[in-house]
Amino acid sequence: MIKTDVVVIGAGPVGLFAVHQLGIIGLKAEVIDNLDKIGGQCIELYPDKPIYDIPAIPECTGESLTKSLLEQIKPFKANFHLNERVQAVSKDNNIWKVETSKNKVFAASNIIIAGGVGSFEPRKFSIKDIEKFENKGVFYSVKNKNDFKNKKVCIFGGGDSALDWAIELSKISEVILIHRRNEFRGTQHSTQIIKKLEKEGKIKVKTPYQINSIEGKDQLESITIKNEDGKTETVRTDCVLGFFGLIMKLGPIAEWGLNLEKKTIPVNTENFQTNKVGIFAIGDICTYPGKLKLILSGFHEGALAARACFKIAKPNETYRFEYTTTSKRIQERLGVKKSD
Ligand SMILES: Cc1cc2nc3c(=O)[nH]c(=O)nc-3n(C[C@H](O)[C@H](O)[C@H](O)COP(=O)(O)OP(=O)(O)OC[C@H]3O[C@@H](n4cnc5c(N)ncnc54)[C@H](O)[C@@H]3O)c2cc1C
């Protein structure tokens, strides 16, 4: 069991800044995210796009904002638990217990839900028995490309992820790229490389084909693919990778007994607490009259929620408002070197 002051659910920009606001007032946080990377929508949906409305930063990208937020919270050494979805939340003697999909259990007096639009999950194949092979031959992301080394890999999809991984894995494995349309949606540059690799015989391309069935006992052995005329073909393969984009699901958050309003969590704007004492919601996932789904609003919400967490985490201490500019205590927590 991992004990902490606050469990932050969601490592998007708002969850990250909440770690800062908790850190400067002396609260420890553990951050959990379902994605394999930190940054939420900024990293998953628009890493290279410019953002023009972060206060005092005239222009940054989703990626550079995430990097800066991470730099800003470095002194607080928060632990990140990625690739883990928070499944269940329960209360035991005024302590919240948070359980993840990897069976980790956290105990904390407070939870801050910064879950955005819910957890991002890959869109999956919709054929019979496919779940049986998930993570045992059928994958929706590449964690370590060497897992596919010297194997026969069928990659499905027509967007950038499918093309980029087809190009990358063709260097170490036997790749067949399969797409339901003749045209790819990925960049022109990636499409040209695929065509070149196909000409050189370094990759096979099968379009317009879709997966039709999957075969194997304990282990994936082959798949059949079908074209528009209904013609099927059997392909022996070791692995199948599907890149069909991500869907956002509110997921288990809906089961935690919180009031919900159109897939968002109503909060009280004094401290961003939900209908449960000690559970706060900030960022895109919360709602209140006048809510703006903007990063800057989430930063403000995190600042207030953090102060409310203090009162619950340290009931015998009095919270004192201090400026970072002048507080020695905050500067010590930030590791700022003292100057005379
Ligand atoms: C294309 C685009 C452009 C945008 N441009 C701007 C802009 O210019 N300015 C601006 O202010 N805003 C912009 N936004 C909106 C901005 O990205 C969001 O307001 C912001 O990302 C919200 O941050 P968040 O931390 O609340 O949530 P998110 O960024 O959505 O992060 C939430 C995280 O929580 C995780 N999560 C959810 N449920 C669970 C669970 N059960 N277990 C574990 N993890 C979970 C998710 O995986 C996700 O990583 C833009 C959005 C898009 C899509």
Side-chain angles (χ1 to χ4, degrees):
M1 168 130 29
I2 301 169
K3 290 188 182 161
T4 187
D5 293 319
V6 185
V7 169
V8 176
I9 303 174
V14 175
L16 294 180
F17 193 65
V19 171
H20 180 272
Q21 291 297 293
L22 293 165
I24 60 169
I25 59 174
L27 295 185
K28 288 215 160 307
E30 300 279 328
V31 188
I32 308 169
D33 202 298
N34 197 40
L35 285 177
D36 57 356
K37 41 190 155 341
I38 295 170
Q41 291 174 55
C42 294
I43 281 294
E44 196 58 50
L45 302 180
Y46 57 103
D48 307 323
K49 285 207 169 66
I51 309 175
Y52 300 106
D53 57 356
I54 302 299
I57 304 177
E59 185 181 340
C60 63
T61 61
E63 187 176 13
S64 68
L65 176 68
T66 305
K67 271 193 185 152
S68 303
L69 285 165
L70 274 172
E71 184 62 32
Q72 201 172 12
I73 61 172
K74 226 180 185 173
F76 308 118
K77 300 187 177 78
N79 293 318
F80 285 88
H81 307 266
L82 300 178
N83 279 315
E84 287 191 57
R85 193 162 81 150
V86 176
Q87 296 290 100
V89 161
S90 57
K91 204 171 194 179
D92 191 6
N93 277 336
N94 282 339
I95 292 294
W96 287 106
K97 254 176 65 191
V98 170
E99 289 174 52
T100 73
S101 48
K102 287 196 182 155
N103 299 323
K104 263 188 214 161
V105 181
F106 296 80
S109 45
N110 297 279
I111 298 172
I112 293 184
I113 305 175
V117 275
S119 56
F120 290 94
E121 292 180 20
R123 208 179 291 274
K124 299 187 176 177
F125 291 104
S126 57
I127 54 161
K128 203 171 151 257
D129 289 339
I130 195 95
E131 312 83 42
K132 199 168 100 186
F133 297 101
E134 207 170 308
N135 297 321
K136 287 183 275 173
V138 175
F139 304 91
Y140 297 98
S141 65
V142 176
K143 305 261 182 299
N144 178 358
K145 66 178 181 183
N146 287 324
D147 293 345
F148 300 91
K149 200 171 175 180
N150 301 325
K151 293 200 170 148
K152 194 162 178 181
V153 187
C154 288
I155 299 181
F156 284 82
D160 281 322
S161 301
L163 302 193
D164 292 349
W165 278 117
I167 295 166
E168 191 58 32
L169 292 182
S170 71
K171 297 171 194 162
I172 55 168
S173 20
E174 196 183 320
V175 171
I176 307 179
L177 177 63
I178 305 163
H179 183 40
R180 65 195 168 103
R181 297 190 204 288
N182 283 317
E183 305 76 33
F184 292 109
R185 275 182 298 107
T187 59
Q188 212 185 351
H189 176 68
S190 302
T191 308
Q192 277 166 356
I193 301 179
I194 292 286
K195 289 208 167 120
K196 186 170 165 275
L197 291 171
E198 187 187 11
K199 251 192 195 157
E200 292 168 358
K202 292 183 179 154
I203 211 171
K204 275 191 199 149
V205 176
K206 290 225 154 260
T207 62
Y209 274 93
Q210 292 194 56
I211 196 160
N212 185 56
S213 65
I214 186 156
E215 288 85 32
K217 274 195 176 155
D218 301 328
Q219 216 177 321
L220 170 62
E221 284 164 17
S222 62
I223 55 170
T224 57
I225 54 173
K226 189 162 90 177
N227 73 5
E228 285 169 336
D229 307 325
K231 186 188 145 210
T232 58
E233 207 174 296
T234 301
V235 183
R236 296 202 78 76
T237 187
D238 300 310
C239 313
V240 170
L241 271 163
F243 294 107
F244 308 117
L246 295 164
I247 42 173
M248 294 161 208
K249 275 192 178 170
L250 191 56
I253 294 176
E255 320 284 312
W256 300 341
L258 298 169
N259 289 341
L260 293 177
E261 202 178 295
K262 290 190 191 143
K263 295 188 182 170
T264 53
I265 306 171
V267 287
N268 136 21
T269 49
E270 194 185 319
N271 54 14
F272 294 89
Q273 193 161 238
T274 64
N275 59 311
K276 303 259 177 200
V277 175
I279 303 191
F280 301 82
I282 58 174
D284 279 13
I285 198 142
C286 76
T287 187
Y288 51 89
K291 165 70 185 171
L292 281 179
K293 286 194 180 187
L294 284 178
I295 295 165
L296 70 89
S297 320
F299 288 170
H300 159 78
E301 293 155 9
L304 265 68
R307 270 69 182 181
C309 288
F310 184 93
K311 291 175 192 158
I312 299 177
K314 299 186 188 277
N316 302 325
E317 289 181 34
T318 311
Y319 166 72
R320 267 207 345 253
F321 174 80
E322 290 172 303
Y323 288 124
T324 58
T325 329
T326 45
S327 164
K328 287 218 164 63
R329 220 154 44 137
I330 292 181
Q331 290 175 7
E332 265 169 34
R333 288 177 184 138
L334 284 166
V336 178
K337 286 203 182 83
K338 285 181 198 131
S339 58
D340 298 321

